[in-house]
Amino acid sequence: VLTQNNSNTLDEYLDKPEFGIHFPWAMYDEYFLGMRLGKVFFEGLVSNAGKSRKLMLVAAYTTLVQHISFLFLSNEMNEKDLRSCLITTVVNNKVFQDIHGIHRNKPEKEIILGVYHDNDGNIIRRKIDDNGYYVESNEEYKERIRQTEEYQDIKRVTDWIDSNNQGKLLFKDICD
């Protein structure tokens, strides 16, 4: 009976307001009053429109900024896909850049292909001879990459993710 006990409900809100965990978007907080326990929130997007990236932003924000554990259930992306998505999200998103202090944009494609640029913006390639054979060992090549500002910045972000252990971002592949 919704026409009874409304005054009690009003006073209950004084004791415990109904606001959940913050979203990384002020507008969502305003409309939905945060992510509230017992409430279900759905969004639908067409294929390849950024659903996983958006959900990763929510998960990373909840875990790394608010220090609240988050369980990510996936039926399409495996652990490596989600790690790449997490790294890219935390590297490129202003909400994290302002916290970890690295203001750089790096496409996910470059991260997963291991593409880095020298300080002049040129792609660093493994050295080859005129016949196309490598003349530089894999370790020598990786060491050249590790010396760049770009790699060092991305590495500082991944170190920041790894050291931020107050909340845990958990993953379960529900298709296994």
Side-chain angles (χ1 to χ4, degrees), residues 26-44:
M27 184 177 75
Y28 276 47
D29 276 346
E30 178 67 27
Y31 290 153
F32 304 111
L33 302 177
M35 292 179 270
R36 297 183 290 157
L37 289 175
K39 306 297 179 199
V40 178
F41 176 78
F42 288 97
E43 265 191 322

Side-chain angles (χ1 to χ4, degrees), residues 125-136:
R125 301 183 193 287
R126 193 166 165 191
K127 294 177 183 175
I128 57 173
D129 64 17
D130 292 336
N131 296 316
Y133 295 107
Y134 292 125
V135 295
E136 177 179 44

Side-chain angles (χ1 to χ4, degrees), residues 21 35 37 58-72 164-171:
I21 300 166
M35 292 179 270
L37 289 175
V58 172
Y61 182 83
T62 302
T63 304
L64 300 171
V65 176
Q66 298 184 93
H67 309 296
I68 298 168
S69 293
F70 193 103
L71 174 60
F72 198 116
N164 195 327
N165 57 13
Q166 293 173 332
K168 301 252 184 278
L169 178 49
L170 307 167
F171 161 70

